[in-house]
């Protein structure tokens, strides 16, 4: 399998960050001395971040401004990326092998760039990537191929041998619709969608040890 360029998603693909969100709401409210109803996770998971903050403010923390709660969440999440979240299994030797083969690599994430850069720096992975792109900076989402197209332009590699590494089915679908080849990596957050992910992607792997023998 020939590969000259690789565009990596961050959460659930390079790092095991999705589990961080399990119980995040209860942990957040506990910071303010509040014991939350166990069912609150389901309520908040269906909301946007602004919607979640508005919910917290209305039902639990009326004495705090929206900006104060937003800042607390940002600080809390950033600390996880800076201090705790691990790399996906087999990632480091896989990136080392790609670099030794001359593969150009970059990161294209839906998360804020500062989160990505904090995690990559702590895990000593930054030097593998020529750039880190965030949907936030480009004012887009992965419902559009904009971030992949920008990453591809920066890499300057052949599209036929450039692969996008993703875990989320909607992002895989976007990449495939835009004509990219996709390697899908297993993540616990998307287990219910495994059949669809396998159908959409060019290659499906359980972890990076799975893929090292292919390149």
């Amino acid at each position: 399998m020939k590969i000259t360029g690789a565009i990596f998603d961050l959460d659930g693909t390079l790092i095991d960050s999705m589990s961080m969100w399990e119980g995040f709401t209860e942990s957040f409210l506990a910071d303010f001395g509040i014991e939350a109803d166990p069912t609150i996770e389901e309520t908040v998971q269906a909301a946007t971040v602004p919607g979640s903050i508005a919910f917290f403010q209305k039902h639990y923390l009326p004495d705090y401004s929206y900006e104060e709660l937003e800042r607390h969440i940002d600080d809390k999440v950033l600390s996880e990326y800076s201090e705790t979240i691990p790399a996906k299994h087999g990632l480091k030797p896989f990136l080392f092998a790609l670099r030794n083969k001359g593969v150009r690599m970059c990161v294209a994430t839906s998360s804020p760039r500062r989160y990505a850069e904090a995690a990559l720096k702590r895990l000593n992975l930054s030097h593998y990537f020529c750039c880190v792109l965030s949907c936030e900076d480009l004012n887009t989402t992965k419902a559009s191929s904009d971030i992949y197209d920008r990453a591809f332009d920066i890499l300057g590699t052949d599209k036929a041998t450039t692969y996008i590494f993703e875990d989320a089915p909607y992002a895989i679908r976007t990449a495939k619709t835009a004509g990219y080849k996709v390697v899908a990596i297993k993540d616990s957050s998307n287990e219910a969608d495994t059949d669809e992910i396998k159908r959409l992607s060019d290659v499906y792997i359980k972890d990076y040890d799975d893929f090292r023998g292919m390149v």
Side-chain angles (χ1 to χ4, degrees), residues 81-110:
Y81 282 80
S82 302
E83 301 169 13
T84 305
I85 297 170
K88 296 283 280 193
H89 177 74
L91 176 65
K92 290 185 178 182
F94 176 67
L95 295 179
F96 182 81
L98 287 187
R99 186 178 64 180
N100 280 355
K101 292 178 180 293
V103 178
R104 286 178 56 77
M105 295 176 276
C106 68
V107 176
T109 177
S110 295

Side-chain angles (χ1 to χ4, degrees), residues 11-12 15-22 167 187-189:
D11 298 283
I15 60 175
D16 260 327
S17 55
M18 303 310 289
S19 60
M20 176 196 73
W21 297 104
E22 297 174 9
D167 69 299
D187 190 73
S188 60
S189 64

Side-chain angles (χ1 to χ4, degrees), residues 10 14 29 42 56 94 96 148 153-154 192 198:
L10 178 74
L14 288 176
L29 291 175
E42 293 181 15
F56 295 144
F94 176 67
F96 182 81
Y148 302 129
D153 287 344
I154 292 171
K198 287 181 177 180

